Amino acid sequence: MRTVLVTGAAGGIGAAIAARFAAADDRLAVSDLRPAELSTVAEKLRADHRVPVTELPGDLADAAYAEALVDAAGAVDVLVNAAGIYPATRLLDMTAQRWDRVQDVNVRAAVLTTVAFGRKHVAAGTTGTVVNISSGAATRARPGAAHYATSKAALEMATKACAVELGPHGIRVNAVSPGFVTVDSEANPVTEAYAAAVSVNPLGRRGAPGEIADAVFWLAGPEAGWITGTVLRVDGGSTAGAAGLPLHWSGETTVQTGGITHG
């Protein structure tokens, strides 16, 4: 039985990740800014899976809270940094406060928890694994998401940097990058128009939180034991290309064919 710490566990993808590990009889420590919602998720985990669940509510933008979280959770074997905020802020409305809060929650907190996790395992001579939750926004900028997209791009590089330094100690660090997932989140709401625009992919459907949770569970397990510093894109193929675009031209020109006629 492992002990798994999941941040951002009060709903959506974070809650699904916690449930996936609980279904495997792992002990859970769960963190979120929203204590009431976190308690609801924790009670469901206990009722459905009969596993111990420790609730650790707090704001990951508080560096002291982030730095102390791993110790508060106990002997953590798997750290999943799923917490993230996605406010809509047009670039010309950006302020230092808005920018910094997104970076603090989405990037700095994940680095601080990983550092604490690494120090603890190195001191004990034990191994462990970290999985960060990124986003397709790490590679594609969107209106109103300069701070968010930047934070996810930074998180992916932080994942690689942590993997390089912690790998010699037997600590693996990877990331899962979801495509658009239907979560109906009160923490990070989106309009249906936005969801429809960003959820087009070759498989023709939106993802579900459980599909992201399955990927995280696999990356954290022994089957992925030789994988570190990797970003696993779980996005229905949206990274591969835009399947919904029409043909840009229905014929061929003589320049394209070299004068050869295709019968």
Side-chain angles (χ1 to χ4, degrees), residues 7-15 30-42 55-60 65 82-85 101 183-189:
T7 70
I13 291 173
V30 291
S31 163
D32 202 281
L33 177 63
R34 302 162 291 168
E37 292 86 345
L38 187 65
S39 288
T40 298
V41 168
E55 299 170 42
L56 300 167
D59 187 355
L60 283 164
Y65 168 76
I85 54 174
R101 179 160 181 81
V183 296
D184 193 24
S185 171
E186 293 181 1
N188 294 302

Side-chain angles (χ1 to χ4, degrees), residues 160-209:
K160 296 175 183 180
C162 292
V164 167
E165 295 206 39
L166 296 178
H169 301 286
I171 299 169
R172 298 188 298 111
V173 186
N174 292 292
V176 170
S177 174
F180 187 83
V181 173
T182 302
V183 296
D184 193 24
S185 171
E186 293 181 1
N188 294 302
V190 299
T191 65
E192 177 55 31
Y194 175 86
V198 300
S199 61
V200 177
N201 59 68
L203 291 185
R205 66 173 178 84
R206 302 173 187 183

Side-chain angles (χ1 to χ4, degrees), residues 29 39 48 66 69 86 96 138 157 219 242-243:
S39 288
D48 291 350
L69 188 57
Y86 188 8
M157 181 49 70
L219 266 182

Side-chain angles (χ1 to χ4, degrees), residues 96-110:
Q97 182 179 19
R98 288 171 174 169
W99 181 272
D100 287 349
R101 179 160 181 81
V102 172
Q103 309 313 313
D104 290 349
V105 174
N106 293 7
V107 188
R108 189 182 71 180

Side-chain angles (χ1 to χ4, degrees), residues 42-248:
E43 285 301 321
K44 182 170 175 56
L45 291 172
R46 296 183 189 108
D48 291 350
H49 304 289
R50 305 296 179 184
V51 295
V53 182
T54 301
E55 299 170 42
L56 300 167
D59 187 355
L60 283 164
D62 178 353
Y65 168 76
E67 289 174 327
L69 188 57
V70 171
D71 277 340
V76 178
D77 302 294
V78 178
L79 167 63
V80 182
N81 288 304
I85 54 174
Y86 188 8
T89 307
R90 293 190 182 278
L91 188 63
L92 297 183
D93 295 327
M94 190 66 67
T95 64
Q97 182 179 19
R98 288 171 174 169
W99 181 272
D100 287 349
R101 179 160 181 81
V102 172
Q103 309 313 313
D104 290 349
V105 174
N106 293 7
V107 188
R108 189 182 71 180
V111 172
L112 292 178
T113 57
T114 299
V115 168
F117 181 83
R119 286 174 176 164
K120 197 167 184 177
H121 279 284
V122 170
T126 53
T127 61
T129 185
V130 179
V131 182
N132 297 319
I133 301 301
S134 183
S135 164
T139 60
R140 296 188 301 262
R142 302 165 186 172
H147 42 10
Y148 178 76
T150 299
S151 75
K152 291 303 184 179
L155 181 62
E156 292 191 3
M157 181 49 70
T159 297
K160 296 175 183 180
C162 292
V164 167
E165 295 206 39
L166 296 178
H169 301 286
I171 299 169
R172 298 188 298 111
V173 186
N174 292 292
V176 170
S177 174
F180 187 83
V181 173
T182 302
V183 296
D184 193 24
S185 171
E186 293 181 1
N188 294 302
V190 299
T191 65
E192 177 55 31
Y194 175 86
V198 300
S199 61
V200 177
N201 59 68
L203 291 185
R205 66 173 178 84
R206 302 173 187 183
E211 292 175 303
I212 308 305
D214 286 340
V216 171
F217 184 82
W218 178 78
L219 266 182
E223 296 87 352
W226 205 44
I227 300 175
T228 196
T230 290
V231 179
L232 177 59
R233 310 271 178 206
V234 186
D235 59 7
S238 61
T239 305
L245 293 178
L247 291 177
H248 62 281

